[in-house]
Amino acid sequence: FVFSSPAVTSYTSQVAFPPLAQTSMYSAFPQTGQTYGLPPFGALWPGIKTETGLPEAPSGGQPGFLSFSAAYTSTQPGQLHYSYPSQGKLQPHSVSHDNPVIFLLQIYKTWKNKDRFGLKTWSLSPFCTDYDLERIFLWDLDETIIIFHSLLTGSYAQKFGKDPATVLNLGLQMEELIFELADTHLFFNDLEECDQVHVEDVASDDNGQDLSNYNFLADGFNGPNSGGASGATTGVQGGVEWMRKLAFRYRRLKEIYNGYKGNVGGLLSPMKRDLLLRLQSEIENVTDAWLSTALKSLLLIQSRGKCMNVLVTTTQLVPALAKVLLYGLGDVFPIENIYSATKIGKESCFERIVSRFGKKVTYVVIGDGRDEEFAAKQHNMPFWRISTHGDLVSLHQALELDFL
């Protein structure tokens, strides 16, 4: 056996942000008295070593198999409350042990029997499979990772004492870029009324046809209200041909996202590219490095190998993808890890994610709104509220200290 940690994806951005320094405006992260309750990452074995060098099994369990369940409580900004019983229970596919030989044998046994257990391999980070995952962080987008909606409403300017006219102007210019990118390159004119929760939701209608020379402008697809003279299978919403053309658009959307996730400027004209660079810099300045502060936590989670970032946003899927690209987050969120809750709500989105990755993974929800907090409570997931810069700083420090 040779185990190697997944390679850390380096983050590239249109703007080189300076290293974030702790400033007096941020409250210090209290290192004592916190009631996180989550064990340090990777340290899932609470037993003590015996004379044989092996840890004692918790009551009701077996050596090397431990799980814990959460008890959710409401939180204050920047605080996490999470508890788990001291006694573990048997989980057939979990492996954790102080003795490296037994640990390796258990990994080998699990891997050898993966077909019998019905384990699947997901497309995650390199060499990472579903049973490698220990924690998944479910992120909100607006006002959690990026500042966008509150630029337009004026709430950010009011809350943090910024010039309202300047902030609104930046928001309007970014909004124009988002919808221009969505309409011009991401089929938003076609897909606005056929929004999906996930990019693969209509993949079953895709016949795999080569799209290299496919003419999307001339295929007769005009959204859900399109009619067709050829009867029920062509041009009619829900018809076989219409669904196939819809699936083609989502497949091309995925190709475009993957091709430009590290270089969104390649989709823009030189003038718009310069505008984006300026907007990125000015928004980062007026929001006191909000995005780069959030990025510190995102990249730390990404570097762990057994953790994953998943985005769940109330924005429609296509504009959400445009936002992610324009704010320079394409390398942080693979398109398969982006979900839109516009149609079904965040609680149902969380349910889909749990059904995808399983209940043995610990989920942590990070957001600013009531919808994700309520959804987290319904699924018994810990919730970390983001209201200020200090909450982002505290989150990063909690991750560094292995509280999360």
Side-chain angles (χ1 to χ4, degrees), residues 307-346:
C307 289
M308 175 181 289
N309 293 305
V310 174
L311 190 67
V312 183
T313 174
T314 51
T315 304
Q316 285 184 275
L317 184 60
V318 175
L321 297 176
K323 280 184 188 178
V324 170
L325 290 172
L326 289 170
Y327 275 84
L329 294 164
D331 283 325
V332 176
F333 291 106
I335 194 169
E336 294 85 1
N337 289 356
I338 298 175
Y339 292 79
S340 169
T342 304
K343 291 172 61 176
I344 65 173
K346 290 203 169 179

Side-chain angles (χ1 to χ4, degrees), residues 220-243:
F221 183 94
N222 295 307
N225 299 318
S226 62
S230 303
T233 60
T234 306
V236 179
Q237 182 180 11
V240 175
E241 281 295 301
W242 188 89
M243 290 299 296

Side-chain angles (χ1 to χ4, degrees), residues 227-296:
S230 303
T233 60
T234 306
V236 179
Q237 182 180 11
V240 175
E241 281 295 301
W242 188 89
M243 290 299 296
R244 181 174 59 83
K245 293 170 184 177
L246 178 67
F248 286 172
R249 280 157 172 77
Y250 276 96
R251 194 208 315 171
R252 177 56 61 86
L253 176 63
K254 182 177 179 180
E255 292 171 354
I256 293 169
Y257 184 94
N258 289 335
Y260 292 91
K261 62 183 180 180
N263 179 31
V264 66
L267 293 172
L268 307 175
S269 67
M271 183 179 298
K272 295 295 184 182
R273 195 179 306 135
D274 290 342
L275 172 61
L276 175 61
L277 289 171
R278 180 176 61 80
L279 285 176
Q280 286 176 329
S281 177
E282 292 184 8
I283 290 175
E284 191 68 357
N285 182 56
V286 79
T287 61
D288 300 309
W290 185 286
L291 174 57
S292 61
T293 309
L295 266 173
K296 289 166 70 70

